[in-house]
Amino acid sequence: MVGTMVPKVIVLSLAGLASLCVNALEVTNIKDCPTLSRRVGGAANVTDLRPDDIKVVAAMGDSITAGAFMLGVDNEEEGFDIRTYSESRGESYSIGGNRDAITLAKFIQNYSPTAQGASIGSRFPTTPCVDENCSILQYEYRPLNDRLNAAISGSMAMNLDRQLDYLITRMKTMIGVNFNQHWKLLTIQIGSNDQCASCNGVLDLSPDAYGKHISTALERIKSSIPRVIVNLLGVFKVSQVYTITEDGPAYCRPQNNDPNTILNRQMCSCFQGADSNRTHMDTIADGYNAKLQEIYEDFKSKQSDTFAVSYMPSDINILGFPIEALSNFDCFHPSLINHQWIAKTSWQNLFVSQPDRQGIWEFDANKKIYCPTEFDRIRIS
Ligand SMILES: *[C@@H]1O[C@H](CO)[C@@H](O)[C@H](O)[C@H]1NC(C)=O
Ligand SMILES: *[C@@H]1O[C@H](CO)[C@@H](O)[C@H](O)[C@H]1NC(C)=O
Ligand SMILES: *[C@@H]1O[C@H](CO)[C@@H](O)[C@H](O)[C@H]1NC(C)=O
C-alpha cells in the first residue's frame, strides 16, 4: 500500500512546482511578496520604472478617489453617523495610506517605504470650488488628511485644472518630497459625474469637451511636474449601478419599498427619468473611453525620458457585482471591499502590456495580490 502511494506524492509535488513556474506569485498580504533586490542607479528612464523607484504617489479624481461613503451605514438605527458621511481618504483604492490598507499606494510603499503623498484618515466631504474666489480660498482641501490626494467629491473632468493647482503647490512644499528628483506615480480617474450630468443639457459634457479637459491636464502635468508617470484609468458604465439597484434591494434601504428613494437617484441625476437617460450615459461613457485611447496614443508621441502616460482601460462589469460591492449608504459609491478589489486589479494591470489591459474586470472579493518580479516594469505600451 505504502509503495503505491509514494509515486503519487511525487507526481503531485511536481505538478505543484510546474504551476508555481507558470503562474506568477500571488499573496493575500503584500508583505508576503518576495522583496526586489536593489539595483544600482534606479530607473534609467520612465519606461524602466519598478515600484521601488516611485518616491511620490498622487491622485486626482472624484468622490471615488476621495473614498467617499465607502464604509456605509453601520447599523439600522437612523440618525447621523459621522463615519457614514465621510470620505475615507486613507482607504481610497489608488492613494489611501492608512496602516494595513489595501491600496495602490500601500503596495508601492511595500517596495518604497519612504514614498510620500498617500492620503490618510477620514474627513467630511467638500465640493469643487468653481467661482472667482477659488484662487484665494483653498477651502475644499484638508492638506493634513489629503496630502497628495487632490480628488474632490463631485468633480468632473473640467475640475482637474483646479486639482492641479493644489497638487503642484503641495508637491513642491511637502516635506520628504524632492520635487525635481523623485519619480512620481499620478493616478487619474474621472468621468462618473460627467456621465451622471450628461442628460440634462446644462453643461457641455460631450466626449470632445471631456477629452479637451483631460489633454489640458496632461499637458500641464508634462510641463510642470518633473519625473512623472501618469496612470490614467478609463471610465466605466455608471448606468449599470442603476440597473443592479432598479428593483430596490433592501440592502440599499429604500423608503417604503420605493426604489426611487434610494440615494443613488440623488447622487446621479441621469438616474431619474426615462431609460433613454441611462442609454445616453452609456453612449457618453463609450465616447469618453474612445477619447482616452486617442489621448493615450497622442501622448505616446510626446513621451520623454521623464514623462509618460500609462493608460489603463477599466471595463468594470458592474452588472456582475454582488450588491455588497456598493456602499449601503447610497448604493452608488463603491464599498471598502470594492476599493480593495480595484486596488488589486489595477496594481496587477500596471505590469501588463497595453494589449493585455483590454479585458473585462470581474469582481472577486477574494482576489489575490500580484507580486511583481525583478523583470516587471510599470508598462506604458
Ligand atoms: C530606457 O532604459 C532602458 C533600460 O536601461 C533601456 O533599455 C531603454 O532603451 C531606455 N529607453 C530610452 C527611450 O532611452
Ligand atoms: C467671492 O467672495 C466675496 C467675498 O466673500 C463674495 O461677496 C462673493 O459673492 C464671492 N463670489 C462668488 C461667486 O461666490
Ligand atoms: C433625464 O434626466 C434629467 C435630469 O434628471 C431630467 O430632467 C429629464 O427629464 C430626464 N429625461 C427623460 C427623458 O426622462
Side-chain angles (χ1 to χ4, degrees), residues 190-191 194-195 198 205-212 214 234-237 278-296 311:
I190 195 107
D194 308 61
Q195 288 176 56
S198 65
L205 298 168
S206 62
D208 277 348
Y210 174 84
K212 283 205 182 76
I214 301 289
V235 302
F236 40 85
K237 289 199 166 79
R278 265 79 66 196
T279 312
H280 182 74
M281 290 176 73
D282 289 349
T283 308
I284 288 288
D286 286 337
Y288 289 175
N289 282 329
K291 275 288 159 197
L292 291 173
Q293 185 73 43
E294 260 176 48
I295 290 167
Y296 161 70
Y311 178 47

PDB file of all heavy atoms in Angstrom, residues 190-191 194-195 198 205-212 214 234-237 278-296 311:
ATOM      1  N   ILE A 190     -11.553  59.889 -13.718  1.00  0.00           N
ATOM      2  CA  ILE A 190     -12.599  60.906 -13.666  1.00  0.00           C
ATOM      3  C   ILE A 190     -13.609  60.671 -14.788  1.00  0.00           C
ATOM      4  O   ILE A 190     -13.232  60.161 -15.852  1.00  0.00           O
ATOM      5  CB  ILE A 190     -11.985  62.331 -13.753  1.00  0.00           C
ATOM      6  CG1 ILE A 190     -12.979  63.409 -13.332  1.00  0.00           C
ATOM      7  CG2 ILE A 190     -11.434  62.643 -15.140  1.00  0.00           C
ATOM      8  CD1 ILE A 190     -12.700  64.033 -12.016  1.00  0.00           C
ATOM      9  N   GLY A 191     -14.865  61.022 -14.549  1.00  0.00           N
ATOM     10  CA  GLY A 191     -15.858  60.902 -15.619  1.00  0.00           C
ATOM     11  C   GLY A 191     -17.204  60.360 -15.170  1.00  0.00           C
ATOM     12  O   GLY A 191     -18.160  60.366 -15.941  1.00  0.00           O
ATOM     13  N   ASP A 194     -19.512  63.318 -14.785  1.00  0.00           N
ATOM     14  CA  ASP A 194     -19.773  63.820 -16.133  1.00  0.00           C
ATOM     15  C   ASP A 194     -20.896  63.001 -16.778  1.00  0.00           C
ATOM     16  O   ASP A 194     -21.824  63.551 -17.386  1.00  0.00           O
ATOM     17  CB  ASP A 194     -18.506  63.741 -16.997  1.00  0.00           C
ATOM     18  CG  ASP A 194     -17.295  64.406 -16.339  1.00  0.00           C
ATOM     19  OD1 ASP A 194     -16.891  63.966 -15.244  1.00  0.00           O
ATOM     20  OD2 ASP A 194     -16.752  65.352 -16.902  1.00  0.00           O
ATOM     21  N   GLN A 195     -20.809  61.669 -16.640  1.00  0.00           N
ATOM     22  CA  GLN A 195     -21.869  60.814 -17.190  1.00  0.00           C
ATOM     23  C   GLN A 195     -23.213  61.130 -16.529  1.00  0.00           C
ATOM     24  O   GLN A 195     -24.238  61.216 -17.200  1.00  0.00           O
ATOM     25  CB  GLN A 195     -21.552  59.330 -16.925  1.00  0.00           C
ATOM     26  CG  GLN A 195     -20.429  58.757 -17.755  1.00  0.00           C
ATOM     27  CD  GLN A 195     -20.130  57.317 -17.351  1.00  0.00           C
ATOM     28  OE1 GLN A 195     -21.004  56.456 -17.369  1.00  0.00           O
ATOM     29  NE2 GLN A 195     -18.888  57.051 -16.989  1.00  0.00           N
ATOM     30  N   SER A 198     -24.844  64.266 -17.838  1.00  0.00           N
ATOM     31  CA  SER A 198     -24.784  64.447 -19.292  1.00  0.00           C
ATOM     32  C   SER A 198     -26.159  64.514 -19.963  1.00  0.00           C
ATOM     33  O   SER A 198     -26.268  64.916 -21.108  1.00  0.00           O
ATOM     34  CB  SER A 198     -23.974  63.309 -19.926  1.00  0.00           C
ATOM     35  OG  SER A 198     -24.655  62.086 -19.736  1.00  0.00           O
ATOM     36  N   LEU A 205     -20.814  68.321 -21.853  1.00  0.00           N
ATOM     37  CA  LEU A 205     -20.157  67.129 -21.321  1.00  0.00           C
ATOM     38  C   LEU A 205     -19.919  66.113 -22.437  1.00  0.00           C
ATOM     39  O   LEU A 205     -19.841  64.908 -22.204  1.00  0.00           O
ATOM     40  CB  LEU A 205     -21.001  66.538 -20.189  1.00  0.00           C
ATOM     41  CG  LEU A 205     -21.157  67.505 -18.998  1.00  0.00           C
ATOM     42  CD1 LEU A 205     -22.222  67.044 -18.020  1.00  0.00           C
ATOM     43  CD2 LEU A 205     -19.830  67.697 -18.280  1.00  0.00           C
ATOM     44  N   SER A 206     -19.787  66.620 -23.648  1.00  0.00           N
ATOM     45  CA  SER A 206     -19.533  65.759 -24.801  1.00  0.00           C
ATOM     46  C   SER A 206     -18.154  65.107 -24.668  1.00  0.00           C
ATOM     47  O   SER A 206     -17.286  65.626 -23.955  1.00  0.00           O
ATOM     48  CB  SER A 206     -19.555  66.615 -26.070  1.00  0.00           C
ATOM     49  OG  SER A 206     -18.506  67.575 -25.999  1.00  0.00           O
ATOM     50  N   PRO A 207     -17.946  63.989 -25.367  1.00  0.00           N
ATOM     51  CA  PRO A 207     -16.617  63.375 -25.375  1.00  0.00           C
ATOM     52  C   PRO A 207     -15.523  64.353 -25.818  1.00  0.00           C
ATOM     53  O   PRO A 207     -14.420  64.320 -25.267  1.00  0.00           O
ATOM     54  CB  PRO A 207     -16.773  62.213 -26.362  1.00  0.00           C
ATOM     55  CG  PRO A 207     -18.216  61.826 -26.223  1.00  0.00           C
ATOM     56  CD  PRO A 207     -18.954  63.121 -26.020  1.00  0.00           C
ATOM     57  N   ASP A 208     -15.828  65.249 -26.752  1.00  0.00           N
ATOM     58  CA  ASP A 208     -14.825  66.236 -27.180  1.00  0.00           C
ATOM     59  C   ASP A 208     -14.424  67.148 -26.027  1.00  0.00           C
ATOM     60  O   ASP A 208     -13.236  67.412 -25.811  1.00  0.00           O
ATOM     61  CB  ASP A 208     -15.367  67.106 -28.332  1.00  0.00           C
ATOM     62  CG  ASP A 208     -15.211  66.412 -29.674  1.00  0.00           C
ATOM     63  OD1 ASP A 208     -14.481  65.387 -29.729  1.00  0.00           O
ATOM     64  OD2 ASP A 208     -15.824  66.874 -30.654  1.00  0.00           O
ATOM     65  N   ALA A 209     -15.438  67.640 -25.306  1.00  0.00           N
ATOM     66  CA  ALA A 209     -15.164  68.543 -24.177  1.00  0.00           C
ATOM     67  C   ALA A 209     -14.395  67.794 -23.086  1.00  0.00           C
ATOM     68  O   ALA A 209     -13.408  68.305 -22.546  1.00  0.00           O
ATOM     69  CB  ALA A 209     -16.470  69.102 -23.622  1.00  0.00           C
ATOM     70  N   TYR A 210     -14.829  66.568 -22.804  1.00  0.00           N
ATOM     71  CA  TYR A 210     -14.144  65.729 -21.810  1.00  0.00           C
ATOM     72  C   TYR A 210     -12.676  65.550 -22.204  1.00  0.00           C
ATOM     73  O   TYR A 210     -11.761  65.758 -21.409  1.00  0.00           O
ATOM     74  CB  TYR A 210     -14.857  64.378 -21.720  1.00  0.00           C
ATOM     75  CG  TYR A 210     -14.192  63.343 -20.835  1.00  0.00           C
ATOM     76  CD1 TYR A 210     -14.421  63.322 -19.464  1.00  0.00           C
ATOM     77  CD2 TYR A 210     -13.348  62.369 -21.380  1.00  0.00           C
ATOM     78  CE1 TYR A 210     -13.830  62.361 -18.650  1.00  0.00           C
ATOM     79  CE2 TYR A 210     -12.749  61.406 -20.581  1.00  0.00           C
ATOM     80  CZ  TYR A 210     -12.985  61.404 -19.212  1.00  0.00           C
ATOM     81  OH  TYR A 210     -12.386  60.458 -18.413  1.00  0.00           O
ATOM     82  N   GLY A 211     -12.470  65.188 -23.468  1.00  0.00           N
ATOM     83  CA  GLY A 211     -11.120  64.949 -23.969  1.00  0.00           C
ATOM     84  C   GLY A 211     -10.226  66.183 -23.849  1.00  0.00           C
ATOM     85  O   GLY A 211      -9.054  66.073 -23.494  1.00  0.00           O
ATOM     86  N   LYS A 212     -10.793  67.347 -24.120  1.00  0.00           N
ATOM     87  CA  LYS A 212     -10.001  68.586 -24.009  1.00  0.00           C
ATOM     88  C   LYS A 212      -9.538  68.823 -22.575  1.00  0.00           C
ATOM     89  O   LYS A 212      -8.393  69.209 -22.343  1.00  0.00           O
ATOM     90  CB  LYS A 212     -10.815  69.796 -24.494  1.00  0.00           C
ATOM     91  CG  LYS A 212     -10.888  69.885 -26.011  1.00  0.00           C
ATOM     92  CD  LYS A 212     -11.120  71.312 -26.490  1.00  0.00           C
ATOM     93  CE  LYS A 212     -11.241  71.348 -28.015  1.00  0.00           C
ATOM     94  NZ  LYS A 212     -12.570  70.836 -28.485  1.00  0.00           N
ATOM     95  N   ILE A 214      -9.038  66.573 -20.293  1.00  0.00           N
ATOM     96  CA  ILE A 214      -8.015  65.568 -19.962  1.00  0.00           C
ATOM     97  C   ILE A 214      -6.674  65.948 -20.599  1.00  0.00           C
ATOM     98  O   ILE A 214      -5.636  65.958 -19.928  1.00  0.00           O
ATOM     99  CB  ILE A 214      -8.447  64.145 -20.432  1.00  0.00           C
ATOM    100  CG1 ILE A 214      -9.776  63.720 -19.794  1.00  0.00           C
ATOM    101  CG2 ILE A 214      -7.342  63.118 -20.165  1.00  0.00           C
ATOM    102  CD1 ILE A 214      -9.739  63.402 -18.327  1.00  0.00           C
ATOM    103  N   GLY A 234      -9.524  54.374 -17.337  1.00  0.00           N
ATOM    104  CA  GLY A 234     -10.695  54.639 -18.159  1.00  0.00           C
ATOM    105  C   GLY A 234     -11.936  54.856 -17.295  1.00  0.00           C
ATOM    106  O   GLY A 234     -11.873  54.796 -16.066  1.00  0.00           O
ATOM    107  N   VAL A 235     -13.058  55.127 -17.965  1.00  0.00           N
ATOM    108  CA  VAL A 235     -14.320  55.250 -17.238  1.00  0.00           C
ATOM    109  C   VAL A 235     -15.092  53.932 -17.378  1.00  0.00           C
ATOM    110  O   VAL A 235     -14.843  53.150 -18.286  1.00  0.00           O
ATOM    111  CB  VAL A 235     -15.186  56.431 -17.746  1.00  0.00           C
ATOM    112  CG1 VAL A 235     -14.430  57.740 -17.633  1.00  0.00           C
ATOM    113  CG2 VAL A 235     -15.672  56.206 -19.169  1.00  0.00           C
ATOM    114  N   PHE A 236     -15.987  53.700 -16.446  1.00  0.00           N
ATOM    115  CA  PHE A 236     -16.852  52.522 -16.504  1.00  0.00           C
ATOM    116  C   PHE A 236     -18.281  53.018 -16.655  1.00  0.00           C
ATOM    117  O   PHE A 236     -18.555  54.198 -16.482  1.00  0.00           O
ATOM    118  CB  PHE A 236     -16.656  51.659 -15.252  1.00  0.00           C
ATOM    119  CG  PHE A 236     -16.506  52.474 -14.013  1.00  0.00           C
ATOM    120  CD1 PHE A 236     -17.615  52.913 -13.306  1.00  0.00           C
ATOM    121  CD2 PHE A 236     -15.245  52.850 -13.580  1.00  0.00           C
ATOM    122  CE1 PHE A 236     -17.473  53.697 -12.175  1.00  0.00           C
ATOM    123  CE2 PHE A 236     -15.097  53.645 -12.448  1.00  0.00           C
ATOM    124  CZ  PHE A 236     -16.208  54.069 -11.745  1.00  0.00           C
ATOM    125  N   LYS A 237     -19.185  52.095 -16.967  1.00  0.00           N
ATOM    126  CA  LYS A 237     -20.564  52.498 -17.242  1.00  0.00           C
ATOM    127  C   LYS A 237     -21.352  52.637 -15.936  1.00  0.00           C
ATOM    128  O   LYS A 237     -21.827  51.657 -15.361  1.00  0.00           O
ATOM    129  CB  LYS A 237     -21.226  51.490 -18.178  1.00  0.00           C
ATOM    130  CG  LYS A 237     -20.682  51.573 -19.605  1.00  0.00           C
ATOM    131  CD  LYS A 237     -21.649  50.934 -20.575  1.00  0.00           C
ATOM    132  CE  LYS A 237     -21.338  51.293 -22.019  1.00  0.00           C
ATOM    133  NZ  LYS A 237     -20.228  50.494 -22.569  1.00  0.00           N
ATOM    134  N   ARG A 278     -30.308  56.726 -19.276  1.00  0.00           N
ATOM    135  CA  ARG A 278     -29.212  55.784 -18.992  1.00  0.00           C
ATOM    136  C   ARG A 278     -28.538  55.342 -20.291  1.00  0.00           C
ATOM    137  O   ARG A 278     -27.318  55.167 -20.338  1.00  0.00           O
ATOM    138  CB  ARG A 278     -29.717  54.563 -18.232  1.00  0.00           C
ATOM    139  CG  ARG A 278     -29.568  54.664 -16.712  1.00  0.00           C
ATOM    140  CD  ARG A 278     -30.612  55.502 -16.050  1.00  0.00           C
ATOM    141  NE  ARG A 278     -31.944  54.919 -16.164  1.00  0.00           N
ATOM    142  CZ  ARG A 278     -33.073  55.592 -15.943  1.00  0.00           C
ATOM    143  NH1 ARG A 278     -33.044  56.877 -15.587  1.00  0.00           N
ATOM    144  NH2 ARG A 278     -34.238  55.003 -16.091  1.00  0.00           N
ATOM    145  N   THR A 279     -29.318  55.194 -21.339  1.00  0.00           N
ATOM    146  CA  THR A 279     -28.736  54.841 -22.631  1.00  0.00           C
ATOM    147  C   THR A 279     -27.780  55.948 -23.072  1.00  0.00           C
ATOM    148  O   THR A 279     -26.687  55.681 -23.572  1.00  0.00           O
ATOM    149  CB  THR A 279     -29.851  54.666 -23.686  1.00  0.00           C
ATOM    150  OG1 THR A 279     -30.856  53.830 -23.128  1.00  0.00           O
ATOM    151  CG2 THR A 279     -29.320  54.069 -24.964  1.00  0.00           C
ATOM    152  N   HIS A 280     -28.206  57.195 -22.825  1.00  0.00           N
ATOM    153  CA  HIS A 280     -27.350  58.326 -23.169  1.00  0.00           C
ATOM    154  C   HIS A 280     -26.043  58.281 -22.366  1.00  0.00           C
ATOM    155  O   HIS A 280     -24.955  58.533 -22.911  1.00  0.00           O
ATOM    156  CB  HIS A 280     -28.085  59.649 -22.919  1.00  0.00           C
ATOM    157  CG  HIS A 280     -27.283  60.851 -23.297  1.00  0.00           C
ATOM    158  ND1 HIS A 280     -27.057  61.216 -24.607  1.00  0.00           N
ATOM    159  CD2 HIS A 280     -26.614  61.755 -22.532  1.00  0.00           C
ATOM    160  CE1 HIS A 280     -26.305  62.299 -24.631  1.00  0.00           C
ATOM    161  NE2 HIS A 280     -26.010  62.650 -23.388  1.00  0.00           N
ATOM    162  N   MET A 281     -26.137  57.952 -21.086  1.00  0.00           N
ATOM    163  CA  MET A 281     -24.931  57.832 -20.256  1.00  0.00           C
ATOM    164  C   MET A 281     -23.952  56.821 -20.853  1.00  0.00           C
ATOM    165  O   MET A 281     -22.736  57.045 -20.853  1.00  0.00           O
ATOM    166  CB  MET A 281     -25.293  57.359 -18.844  1.00  0.00           C
ATOM    167  CG  MET A 281     -26.026  58.373 -17.987  1.00  0.00           C
ATOM    168  SD  MET A 281     -26.499  57.633 -16.398  1.00  0.00           S
ATOM    169  CE  MET A 281     -24.908  57.551 -15.578  1.00  0.00           C
ATOM    170  N   ASP A 282     -24.477  55.711 -21.351  1.00  0.00           N
ATOM    171  CA  ASP A 282     -23.615  54.666 -21.916  1.00  0.00           C
ATOM    172  C   ASP A 282     -22.915  55.142 -23.190  1.00  0.00           C
ATOM    173  O   ASP A 282     -21.741  54.843 -23.418  1.00  0.00           O
ATOM    174  CB  ASP A 282     -24.429  53.403 -22.221  1.00  0.00           C
ATOM    175  CG  ASP A 282     -24.872  52.686 -20.950  1.00  0.00           C
ATOM    176  OD1 ASP A 282     -24.383  53.055 -19.860  1.00  0.00           O
ATOM    177  OD2 ASP A 282     -25.695  51.759 -21.056  1.00  0.00           O
ATOM    178  N   THR A 283     -23.669  55.884 -24.013  1.00  0.00           N
ATOM    179  CA  THR A 283     -23.082  56.414 -25.243  1.00  0.00           C
ATOM    180  C   THR A 283     -21.946  57.378 -24.884  1.00  0.00           C
ATOM    181  O   THR A 283     -20.870  57.349 -25.493  1.00  0.00           O
ATOM    182  CB  THR A 283     -24.164  57.171 -26.048  1.00  0.00           C
ATOM    183  OG1 THR A 283     -25.280  56.301 -26.191  1.00  0.00           O
ATOM    184  CG2 THR A 283     -23.651  57.603 -27.402  1.00  0.00           C
ATOM    185  N   ILE A 284     -22.205  58.205 -23.874  1.00  0.00           N
ATOM    186  CA  ILE A 284     -21.194  59.164 -23.405  1.00  0.00           C
ATOM    187  C   ILE A 284     -19.965  58.421 -22.856  1.00  0.00           C
ATOM    188  O   ILE A 284     -18.827  58.763 -23.175  1.00  0.00           O
ATOM    189  CB  ILE A 284     -21.826  60.095 -22.327  1.00  0.00           C
ATOM    190  CG1 ILE A 284     -22.802  61.080 -22.987  1.00  0.00           C
ATOM    191  CG2 ILE A 284     -20.793  60.807 -21.500  1.00  0.00           C
ATOM    192  CD1 ILE A 284     -22.140  62.165 -23.804  1.00  0.00           C
ATOM    193  N   ALA A 285     -20.207  57.382 -22.071  1.00  0.00           N
ATOM    194  CA  ALA A 285     -19.089  56.624 -21.479  1.00  0.00           C
ATOM    195  C   ALA A 285     -18.218  56.000 -22.574  1.00  0.00           C
ATOM    196  O   ALA A 285     -16.986  56.061 -22.515  1.00  0.00           O
ATOM    197  CB  ALA A 285     -19.619  55.545 -20.538  1.00  0.00           C
ATOM    198  N   ASP A 286     -18.857  55.429 -23.595  1.00  0.00           N
ATOM    199  CA  ASP A 286     -18.097  54.861 -24.714  1.00  0.00           C
ATOM    200  C   ASP A 286     -17.281  55.956 -25.401  1.00  0.00           C
ATOM    201  O   ASP A 286     -16.129  55.741 -25.789  1.00  0.00           O
ATOM    202  CB  ASP A 286     -19.040  54.206 -25.735  1.00  0.00           C
ATOM    203  CG  ASP A 286     -19.602  52.875 -25.241  1.00  0.00           C
ATOM    204  OD1 ASP A 286     -18.955  52.253 -24.358  1.00  0.00           O
ATOM    205  OD2 ASP A 286     -20.667  52.462 -25.722  1.00  0.00           O
ATOM    206  N   GLY A 287     -17.915  57.130 -25.554  1.00  0.00           N
ATOM    207  CA  GLY A 287     -17.222  58.265 -26.187  1.00  0.00           C
ATOM    208  C   GLY A 287     -16.021  58.721 -25.369  1.00  0.00           C
ATOM    209  O   GLY A 287     -14.960  59.023 -25.927  1.00  0.00           O
ATOM    210  N   TYR A 288     -16.151  58.755 -24.050  1.00  0.00           N
ATOM    211  CA  TYR A 288     -15.035  59.159 -23.181  1.00  0.00           C
ATOM    212  C   TYR A 288     -13.870  58.165 -23.328  1.00  0.00           C
ATOM    213  O   TYR A 288     -12.712  58.570 -23.454  1.00  0.00           O
ATOM    214  CB  TYR A 288     -15.462  59.199 -21.713  1.00  0.00           C
ATOM    215  CG  TYR A 288     -16.408  60.318 -21.318  1.00  0.00           C
ATOM    216  CD1 TYR A 288     -16.932  60.383 -20.032  1.00  0.00           C
ATOM    217  CD2 TYR A 288     -16.775  61.322 -22.213  1.00  0.00           C
ATOM    218  CE1 TYR A 288     -17.793  61.397 -19.645  1.00  0.00           C
ATOM    219  CE2 TYR A 288     -17.646  62.341 -21.837  1.00  0.00           C
ATOM    220  CZ  TYR A 288     -18.159  62.371 -20.552  1.00  0.00           C
ATOM    221  OH  TYR A 288     -19.012  63.363 -20.166  1.00  0.00           O
ATOM    222  N   ASN A 289     -14.190  56.869 -23.318  1.00  0.00           N
ATOM    223  CA  ASN A 289     -13.116  55.880 -23.411  1.00  0.00           C
ATOM    224  C   ASN A 289     -12.411  55.937 -24.760  1.00  0.00           C
ATOM    225  O   ASN A 289     -11.191  55.754 -24.828  1.00  0.00           O
ATOM    226  CB  ASN A 289     -13.652  54.482 -23.124  1.00  0.00           C
ATOM    227  CG  ASN A 289     -13.835  54.243 -21.629  1.00  0.00           C
ATOM    228  OD1 ASN A 289     -13.087  54.802 -20.815  1.00  0.00           O
ATOM    229  ND2 ASN A 289     -14.802  53.425 -21.260  1.00  0.00           N
ATOM    230  N   ALA A 290     -13.179  56.202 -25.812  1.00  0.00           N
ATOM    231  CA  ALA A 290     -12.557  56.341 -27.134  1.00  0.00           C
ATOM    232  C   ALA A 290     -11.606  57.543 -27.126  1.00  0.00           C
ATOM    233  O   ALA A 290     -10.501  57.484 -27.680  1.00  0.00           O
ATOM    234  CB  ALA A 290     -13.631  56.500 -28.206  1.00  0.00           C
ATOM    235  N   LYS A 291     -12.015  58.634 -26.480  1.00  0.00           N
ATOM    236  CA  LYS A 291     -11.156  59.820 -26.358  1.00  0.00           C
ATOM    237  C   LYS A 291      -9.884  59.492 -25.584  1.00  0.00           C
ATOM    238  O   LYS A 291      -8.789  59.898 -25.959  1.00  0.00           O
ATOM    239  CB  LYS A 291     -11.893  60.947 -25.618  1.00  0.00           C
ATOM    240  CG  LYS A 291     -12.765  61.792 -26.493  1.00  0.00           C
ATOM    241  CD  LYS A 291     -11.924  62.692 -27.407  1.00  0.00           C
ATOM    242  CE  LYS A 291     -12.822  63.093 -28.568  1.00  0.00           C
ATOM    243  NZ  LYS A 291     -12.062  63.622 -29.715  1.00  0.00           N
ATOM    244  N   LEU A 292     -10.041  58.774 -24.471  1.00  0.00           N
ATOM    245  CA  LEU A 292      -8.880  58.447 -23.642  1.00  0.00           C
ATOM    246  C   LEU A 292      -7.867  57.620 -24.431  1.00  0.00           C
ATOM    247  O   LEU A 292      -6.659  57.834 -24.326  1.00  0.00           O
ATOM    248  CB  LEU A 292      -9.316  57.709 -22.369  1.00  0.00           C
ATOM    249  CG  LEU A 292     -10.086  58.561 -21.353  1.00  0.00           C
ATOM    250  CD1 LEU A 292     -10.626  57.693 -20.211  1.00  0.00           C
ATOM    251  CD2 LEU A 292      -9.219  59.687 -20.792  1.00  0.00           C
ATOM    252  N   GLN A 293      -8.377  56.697 -25.238  1.00  0.00           N
ATOM    253  CA  GLN A 293      -7.493  55.892 -26.082  1.00  0.00           C
ATOM    254  C   GLN A 293      -6.730  56.780 -27.069  1.00  0.00           C
ATOM    255  O   GLN A 293      -5.512  56.653 -27.230  1.00  0.00           O
ATOM    256  CB  GLN A 293      -8.330  54.836 -26.823  1.00  0.00           C
ATOM    257  CG  GLN A 293      -7.527  53.844 -27.645  1.00  0.00           C
ATOM    258  CD  GLN A 293      -6.773  52.823 -26.789  1.00  0.00           C
ATOM    259  OE1 GLN A 293      -7.324  52.292 -25.823  1.00  0.00           O
ATOM    260  NE2 GLN A 293      -5.511  52.561 -27.134  1.00  0.00           N
ATOM    261  N   GLU A 294      -7.457  57.710 -27.687  1.00  0.00           N
ATOM    262  CA  GLU A 294      -6.835  58.668 -28.625  1.00  0.00           C
ATOM    263  C   GLU A 294      -5.772  59.513 -27.934  1.00  0.00           C
ATOM    264  O   GLU A 294      -4.682  59.736 -28.473  1.00  0.00           O
ATOM    265  CB  GLU A 294      -7.898  59.668 -29.116  1.00  0.00           C
ATOM    266  CG  GLU A 294      -8.501  59.428 -30.459  1.00  0.00           C
ATOM    267  CD  GLU A 294      -9.593  60.467 -30.741  1.00  0.00           C
ATOM    268  OE1 GLU A 294      -9.355  61.687 -30.542  1.00  0.00           O
ATOM    269  OE2 GLU A 294     -10.705  60.038 -31.128  1.00  0.00           O
ATOM    270  N   ILE A 295      -6.120  59.998 -26.746  1.00  0.00           N
ATOM    271  CA  ILE A 295      -5.212  60.861 -25.985  1.00  0.00           C
ATOM    272  C   ILE A 295      -3.953  60.080 -25.596  1.00  0.00           C
ATOM    273  O   ILE A 295      -2.835  60.586 -25.679  1.00  0.00           O
ATOM    274  CB  ILE A 295      -5.933  61.429 -24.739  1.00  0.00           C
ATOM    275  CG1 ILE A 295      -6.982  62.451 -25.189  1.00  0.00           C
ATOM    276  CG2 ILE A 295      -4.965  62.046 -23.746  1.00  0.00           C
ATOM    277  CD1 ILE A 295      -7.966  62.861 -24.114  1.00  0.00           C
ATOM    278  N   TYR A 296      -4.150  58.830 -25.212  1.00  0.00           N
ATOM    279  CA  TYR A 296      -3.005  57.964 -24.875  1.00  0.00           C
ATOM    280  C   TYR A 296      -2.056  57.841 -26.079  1.00  0.00           C
ATOM    281  O   TYR A 296      -0.844  57.998 -25.951  1.00  0.00           O
ATOM    282  CB  TYR A 296      -3.506  56.599 -24.415  1.00  0.00           C
ATOM    283  CG  TYR A 296      -2.473  55.505 -24.487  1.00  0.00           C
ATOM    284  CD1 TYR A 296      -1.388  55.497 -23.614  1.00  0.00           C
ATOM    285  CD2 TYR A 296      -2.565  54.501 -25.453  1.00  0.00           C
ATOM    286  CE1 TYR A 296      -0.423  54.509 -23.700  1.00  0.00           C
ATOM    287  CE2 TYR A 296      -1.612  53.507 -25.536  1.00  0.00           C
ATOM    288  CZ  TYR A 296      -0.535  53.514 -24.660  1.00  0.00           C
ATOM    289  OH  TYR A 296       0.415  52.541 -24.748  1.00  0.00           O
ATOM    290  N   TYR A 311      -1.929  54.197 -19.951  1.00  0.00           N
ATOM    291  CA  TYR A 311      -3.394  54.133 -19.978  1.00  0.00           C
ATOM    292  C   TYR A 311      -3.886  52.763 -19.529  1.00  0.00           C
ATOM    293  O   TYR A 311      -3.395  51.734 -20.003  1.00  0.00           O
ATOM    294  CB  TYR A 311      -3.906  54.461 -21.381  1.00  0.00           C
ATOM    295  CG  TYR A 311      -5.419  54.367 -21.525  1.00  0.00           C
ATOM    296  CD1 TYR A 311      -6.266  54.949 -20.588  1.00  0.00           C
ATOM    297  CD2 TYR A 311      -5.996  53.690 -22.598  1.00  0.00           C
ATOM    298  CE1 TYR A 311      -7.649  54.868 -20.713  1.00  0.00           C
ATOM    299  CE2 TYR A 311      -7.378  53.616 -22.745  1.00  0.00           C
ATOM    300  CZ  TYR A 311      -8.195  54.197 -21.794  1.00  0.00           C
ATOM    301  OH  TYR A 311      -9.561  54.102 -21.917  1.00  0.00           O
TER     302      TYR A 311
END
